Amino acid sequence: MKRFLDLADLTREEVLGLLELARRLERHGEPHALAGKLLGLVFFNPSLRTLASFQAAMARLGGHSLVINPGQGSWQMETRPGVVMDGAAAEHVREGIPVLASYCDALGIRLFAEGRELATDLAESAFSAMAALTDKPLVNLESAMNHPCQALADWKTLDDLAVPRAGRFVLSWAWHPRALPLAVPAAVLHMAALRGMEVIVLRPEGFALPEPIMERARRAAAASGGSVSETSDRAQALSGAQVLYVKEWGATDSYGDPAADARLRSALRGWCVREDWFGAAPDCRVLHCLPVRRNSAIADEVLDGARSAVQRQAYNRLPAQMAVLHQLLRS
Ligand code: CP
């Protein structure tokens, strides 16, 4: 494996192999496996888990990492091609990324969606352009439409919780004060479909996931014996569910239009997950990638209760990323 940019680049068997490696590294540390290796982490957007768990993973495998937050202690970096650089950015990624790559054995890059044009964000053009600037091992730390590290860790969490392969997995929209990107819902939807689950996307009208994302998940499900459907009927979706994966995202009907998005979501404050959602799913576990706004997206009673697995999920970023780094830098 040379790059970890999209779970869909791997076969189901390769994903299962990575998960087995993650479990092995969790049980038996390899404190010298990556001795002498250096990982460069470039974060155009904020992070807690991805940043800290990648640094921890490198340290626990005997390697080192450096972190660049463009515009915060280093030059602000321009990502647009062909632009006249007379604004705040002093450096273009066309120079910055190869320079960093020349110092490191592998790079990780986080660059969120612009959130203006859906087609542009679906095309992942800014991330792909940066990926083309280096032939070093590369990790997607979250791009416009993908978060493969989160998806891999989430698959491990489902295994840890002994959630059946064919169990009902509900990916539910939740309220947030503003539009958030589609990267996590897209990645998690694909992951659950590839795992072979009965996946239901539960979302209000106006928030359907884009067809290319749904179609990709349907193809993964078809190959793995699972299924993918969508509804706005909460009771129907949650009946018998084993997992409720909660995530906030922007209105896809008015993508790139914050005022229209705000009008749509203003009537949706009831999409805050509470205990009374689970009457027909008493054993349902609750997942969220974090960060989460308490009592906006998920109520305290759920986050602090027995069905919440969000801490396990966040912890699993560490063994999952140790496995990714081990694969990228040892082979
Ligand atoms: N879930 C996740 O990627 O968390 P961070 O944004 O804190 O890295």
Side-chain angles (χ1 to χ4, degrees):
M1 189 172 80
K2 184 88 167 98
R3 301 188 151 201
F4 188 69
L5 305 181
D6 184 347
L7 217 57
D9 294 339
L10 278 62
T11 64
R12 193 170 188 282
E13 287 61 40
E14 286 170 328
V15 176
L16 294 175
L18 265 180
L19 291 166
E20 187 50 41
L21 177 57
R23 282 187 279 273
R24 195 186 88 208
L25 292 169
E26 189 179 32
R27 282 193 304 269
H28 308 291
E30 290 191 21
H32 306 295
L34 300 187
K37 301 289 188 185
L38 179 61
L39 172 69
L41 295 164
V42 185
F43 281 88
F44 288 88
N45 311 96
S47 170
L48 186 151
R49 279 143 293 271
T50 309
L51 169 61
S53 59
F54 264 103
Q55 290 190 289
M58 277 308 276
R60 288 184 182 279
L61 291 170
H64 294 88
S65 54
L66 61 84
V67 179
I68 298 292
N69 302 113
Q72 297 169 47
S74 64
W75 304 113
Q76 193 163 323
M77 268 198 248
E78 179 62 64
T79 58
R80 293 169 296 172
V83 71
V84 176
M85 289 178 56
D86 55 3
E91 176 139 37
H92 201 283
V93 291
R94 289 186 67 81
E95 285 75 47
I97 294 297
V99 166
L100 290 169
S102 72
Y103 302 152
C104 300
D105 299 291
L107 281 186
I109 300 175
R110 167 169 283 195
L111 180 66
F112 288 172
E114 282 182 14
R116 286 198 281 268
E117 295 279 343
L118 180 59
T120 305
D121 287 339
L122 282 169
E124 296 275 21
S125 37
F127 191 92
S128 301
M130 279 194 286
L133 294 170
T134 175
D135 58 5
K136 290 277 174 76
L138 184 66
V139 182
N140 179 349
L141 305 178
E142 187 172 338
S143 60
M145 292 288 165
N146 219 321
H147 198 352
C149 299
Q150 183 67 52
L152 184 67
D154 291 342
W155 189 323
K156 182 175 181 301
T157 303
L158 295 173
D159 291 350
D160 290 354
L161 298 174
V163 174
R165 174 177 169 177
R168 180 172 283 200
F169 179 102
V170 179
L171 168 62
S172 177
W173 185 88
W175 192 85
H176 189 276
R178 62 182 174 81
L180 292 188
L182 297 167
V184 170
V188 163
L189 171 64
H190 175 263
M191 176 278 295
L194 188 63
R195 193 172 181 263
M197 306 192 75
E198 180 195 1
V199 185
I200 302 176
V201 181
L202 170 63
R203 79 295 178 277
E205 296 306 325
F207 291 84
L209 293 176
E211 182 51 25
I213 291 173
M214 293 296 292
E215 176 52 25
R216 196 169 92 129
R218 282 193 289 265
R219 280 200 308 274
S224 304
S227 65
V228 174
S229 61
E230 59 184 324
T231 182
S232 55
D233 183 335
R234 186 181 302 154
Q236 179 202 327
L238 277 172
S239 178
Q242 267 102 22
V243 176
L244 177 65
Y245 197 111
V246 186
K247 189 66 190 86
E248 314 83 342
W249 65 84
T252 42
D253 277 8
S254 48
Y255 198 87
D257 182 344
D261 180 288
R263 279 194 299 278
L264 261 181
R265 71 180 56 238
S266 65
L268 300 171
R269 291 299 293 254
W271 288 71
C272 173
V273 180
R274 300 187 183 282
E275 267 303 309
D276 62 10
W277 283 35
F278 299 99
D283 301 324
C284 186
R285 303 303 300 266
V286 169
L287 275 65
H288 188 290
C289 65
L290 304 182
V292 65
R293 290 183 182 234
R294 282 176 170 259
N295 304 309
S296 286
I298 307 180
D300 284 345
E301 65 195 22
V302 176
L303 277 170
D304 298 332
R307 67 176 78 256
S308 172
V310 299
Q311 290 293 341
R312 180 85 206 166
Q313 248 185 298
Y315 155 74
N316 271 327
R317 299 292 303 276
L318 177 59
Q321 280 147 206
M322 286 169 73
V324 168
L325 292 168
H326 198 283
Q327 282 269 303
L328 288 176
L329 290 168
R330 287 274 290 185
S331 50

